Each structure stands twice: as C-alpha cells, then as structure tokens.
Amino acid sequence: MDISYIINELAEDRENYFNAVAPPIMQTSNFVFKTVGEMRKAFADEYSTYLYSRGKNPTVDILRKKLAALDGAEDCLVFNNGAAATFAAVLANVKAGDHIVCVDKPYSWTQKLCNDILPRFNVTTTYIDGTAIENFERAILPNTTLIYLESPNSWDYKLQDLKAVAELAKAEGIITIIDNSYCTPLYQKPIELGIDLAMQTATKYIGGHSDTLGGVLSGKKEMIQRIFNSEYMNIGSGIQPFNAWLLIRGLRTLPARLDRITASTNKVVAYLKTHPKVETVIFPFDESFAQYQLAKQQMSGACGLFTFIIKADTIDQIEKFCEDLQHFFMAVSWGGHESLIIPKCSGIQPAAFDATNREHRMLRLYVGLEDADYLIKDLEQAFEKL
C-alpha cells in the first residue's frame, strides 16, 4: 500500500463517524451487548471484538492497522511505551531454562529485563558484538529460543545484518526481535528481511511532538494474537485511546518531518566533521562509518540521532559545553520537534571520568525541526566558550 494511503485513509471508516476528517477518541472503558450470546462470544474471543478497552478499542484499532501496514506486518499491538512492548515480546517467547542471544549495549530497560528480571526465572542472556554473523553462530546454545537485535543502536549505531541473522535463526528454530526505533518503518523494514517481531518506540518519531508515549510490536497475526491473549492482557499495558489518537495525528506528518530532520541532520553532521574541537562523528549514513555499506543496503535513510566525540581533557569542559548550549535541550529520548543533547558522562560519577576513554567524551545529539543554521550557530557559540 502507498504510504500516503496508509497514513491518511487506511482504517478510517469516516462514514461511521459523521464523515469527520479526524477520527473520534473512543474514551470508553466498557462496551455493551444486547444479548447474552453476544457477550459470551466476546468473552471467548476478545481479540476479535470490543469488550473492555484494556484489550481492544476502536481508536487504538485505527492506529494498529496503520502501523502494521507501515511495518509490512499482518498485525500489531500498541503499548503504553516501548519498554512494555519489549517486555511482552520477550516474555512471550521464553520459558524457564531458556537462553537469549542479545546484541551488546541494548536499550537500558532491555538490559535490565535480561539482567535483573529474567534470571529470577532461570532465563539467561549472552551479549555479543552483533556486527559479525559468526558471533551469533558461536553464541547459540541448544536452549536458545530468542535473538534480540537493535539495529542501529542509539550510541555507536552498530548494525546487524538482519537478513543473515533471520536466516540463521529460522534454520535453528529461534525467534528474532528487533528494536527498530532508530529507523521507523519508513527507513527500515525488518519484517521484509525475515525478522519475526519488530518493535519501535512510538514515543519518538511516530508521535513526533514529545507529548505522548507509545510502543509498537508488529509481526504475524498468530504471534500477535498469542501475545494479546496472554502478556498484553495480563500486564495491562495497552495504550489509552487519547494517546492512540495523538499517535494517529503524529503519523499524518511523519514523512514530512523525517525529510526535514534528515536534511538538517546532514548539515549539522557536515559542520561537526570539520570542527577542530570534534574528534569524530558517528553516523550510519556517513561514508566514514564502519558499516556504511550495510547501512545503505538495509536502511533507506537515517536521520536525527548521531554521536560525536568532543576533544576535552576534563569532565568539567564537557559539562560546560552542554550547559552553554541555548537551543539544544539536555534530555533523554529523541524524535520530537525539539533538538536534544545528552553527554555520556552524565551516566558516570565525575571521579570515574577518563579523558582517554572515547566513550566518556561521547555526546549524543538529536536534530529536531529547527532550522539547521540556527542549531549550528548554537553549537558554534558553545564551542567558542570551550
């Protein structure tokens, strides 16, 4: 389906709501039945009808159909946030005694799940450098049931060869899950490459306005229905109708926002690459990136988020640079209208700072919807004070 049709028309039965351009927010907890038989049928198959908005809701269903189509998936579920989507996807595909292969340095809450929660149920995890398929082959054990991917990740943007990993996993009977938040379905389609479940944090580019949270999990209908009937319903972490409506609104402008952010990002990256106080820039679509060819092969774009390593001798210099910025907000996340910065050293104690450690001098930038020259001037004035 054409992306314009998906975003603007798919699943929007306007004749059912007074031909309104914007869909209604079905802000209801309950749905009524005229007969006992109808209610009995709903109890037996809540996945296929409306009974209680913890499960299905008409506003949420409009969003589900659009997001599944964008992912090229049979169906999807929408959660309150990305961490909840990941939790449900992983929990649905492991049991006591199972083993997970996970790429190193995943999203922090994914790592907490694997390190702190799953071991309580005798589920173990092996972290690997996912840049080489051989590392996956070596890490797989007889009890491996799940491979967890994040391509690119959100600090050094390491990629995995998704098609090769999917082929390996299928040969071994292993389920694959990917965090596709960096690319969105517009710039990368993991399911078309053979990945079983694609997760993305809709809080970021799908919402686009930093005013709501959401998490998406897409895949085959059989898998999605199984997760719906168990983890989704039991955890109770499905998205609320108003937040789903905000994400539908965000989808309307997704292509235009990504185009704008991409153009601005390229200008900011080009500026930083030539700056004497920048050691290096890490960005998947830069020709100097170690996996540039793979990025071009399996991604149709990259935008917004990248890392640069600043030349600094002390943590105070890095902190001052960040605090001197006037138009980059210091905050986590990305994908909204506002440009952001987060220093890696914010996650370490000052006494542990080591200027010879490149990671300690990493700064992660997100370029939002502001004019590129406006952002470059802000970076320049902060560099001048460094």
Side-chain angles (χ1 to χ4, degrees):
M1 286 181 282
D2 188 278
I3 187 171
S4 294
Y5 171 75
I6 294 171
I7 289 173
N8 294 298
E9 301 175 51
L10 178 65
E12 301 199 44
D13 302 319
R14 294 185 170 92
E15 64 275 10
N16 293 332
Y17 43 85
F18 312 104
N19 292 313
V21 171
I25 306 171
M26 295 295 184
Q27 195 69 34
T28 183
S29 57
N30 254 342
F31 298 88
V32 300
F33 301 89
K34 292 182 178 179
T35 69
V36 174
E38 289 176 350
M39 179 173 276
R40 183 178 295 116
K41 185 177 179 181
F43 278 134
D45 183 13
E46 196 168 344
Y47 179 76
S48 301
T49 191
Y50 300 117
L51 172 69
Y52 190 60
S53 279
R54 176 166 57 91
K56 290 190 66 180
N57 173 279
T59 306
V60 176
D61 274 1
I62 294 172
L63 178 63
R64 284 177 60 202
K65 291 172 184 176
K66 290 180 182 295
L67 291 172
L70 287 176
D71 264 323
E74 292 179 1
D75 202 354
C76 85
L77 295 172
V78 188
F79 296 76
N80 274 330
N81 53 68
T86 297
F87 190 94
V90 172
L91 203 63
N93 287 290
V94 295
K95 63 184 184 303
D98 283 349
H99 173 252
I100 298 171
V101 176
C102 180
V103 293
D104 58 4
K105 301 177 184 176
Y107 174 55
S108 58
W109 286 101
T110 301
Q111 192 156 357
K112 288 177 186 293
L113 169 63
C114 293
N115 289 352
D116 301 338
I117 297 176
L118 294 179
R120 290 164 23 198
F121 307 98
N122 195 29
V123 175
T124 58
T125 301
T126 299
Y127 295 100
I128 63 165
D129 177 351
T131 59
I133 190 66
E134 295 81 6
N135 295 338
F136 288 95
E137 293 170 344
R138 285 192 290 266
I140 290 173
L141 302 175
N143 60 332
T144 302
T145 58
L146 184 66
I147 293 177
Y148 192 93
L149 310 168
E150 186 176 323
S151 183
N153 74 4
S154 65
W155 272 96
D156 56 19
Y157 314 102
K158 287 182 179 178
L159 310 179
Q160 299 95 59
D161 186 330
L162 301 185
K163 187 174 182 181
V165 174
E167 289 174 353
L168 171 65
K170 282 179 169 52
E172 299 286 343
I174 297 169
I175 296 294
T176 48
I177 301 173
I178 185 173
D179 184 337
N180 195 38
S181 298
Y182 183 94
C183 286
T184 83
L186 269 64
Y187 283 173
Q188 183 168 258
K189 296 189 178 295
I191 289 174
E192 290 184 3
L193 296 172
I195 302 301
D196 295 303
L197 288 168
M199 192 286 290
Q200 61 175 313
T201 304
T203 308
K204 298 176 170 61
Y205 292 116
I206 301 298
H209 294 80
S210 300
D211 55 9
T212 189
L213 303 179
V216 184
L217 191 63
S218 298
K220 290 187 180 298
K221 184 175 181 179
E222 181 182 2
M223 173 75 76
I224 294 300
Q225 184 170 2
R226 180 164 65 84
I227 295 173
F228 174 90
N229 287 329
S230 182
E231 289 75 18
Y232 184 85
M233 293 293 286
N234 272 283
I235 298 169
S237 57
I239 196 167
Q240 301 303 301
F242 180 69
N243 288 345
W245 183 85
L246 287 173
L247 293 178
I248 294 170
R249 185 191 66 170
L251 274 177
R252 309 292 198 201
T253 60
L254 179 61
R257 286 186 286 106
L258 290 188
D259 287 347
R260 163 85 176 195
I261 292 167
T262 295
S264 297
T265 300
N266 290 337
K267 289 183 179 179
V268 176
V269 167
Y271 160 75
L272 288 171
K273 283 186 67 177
T274 61
H275 201 285
K277 294 181 181 178
V278 173
E279 184 174 309
T280 191
V281 176
I282 308 172
F283 181 56
F285 266 36
D286 183 77
E287 292 184 3
S288 67
F289 185 67
Q291 295 177 286
Y292 175 70
Q293 293 302 325
L294 179 59
K296 297 289 285 188
Q297 175 183 318
Q298 65 186 21
M299 297 162 56
S300 60
C303 75
L305 198 69
F306 63 92
T307 296
F308 73 93
I309 299 175
I310 195 168
K311 293 179 181 177
D313 298 319
T314 68
I315 194 171
D316 291 339
Q317 289 176 312
I318 298 174
E319 291 180 2
K320 176 173 170 49
F321 175 81
C322 294
E323 293 164 5
D324 282 340
L325 290 169
Q326 299 170 5
H327 305 303
F328 283 86
F329 300 144
M330 205 181 323
V332 299
S333 195
W334 75 86
H337 57 84
E338 76 287 6
S339 293
L340 304 171
I341 187 168
I342 180 170
K344 191 79 168 182
C345 65
S346 63
I348 64 173
Q349 293 300 314
F353 178 78
D354 179 5
T356 65
N357 187 331
R358 284 161 49 99
E359 282 198 13
H360 289 196
R361 292 184 285 113
M362 282 183 171
L363 297 171
R364 194 183 75 179
L365 278 188
Y366 165 67
V367 175
L369 294 175
E370 303 93 339
D371 183 77
D373 291 336
Y374 176 79
L375 297 175
I376 289 171
K377 287 178 182 177
D378 192 26
L379 290 165
E380 185 59 31
Q381 64 84 25
F383 276 125
E384 289 174 356
K385 298 174 184 176
L386 184 61

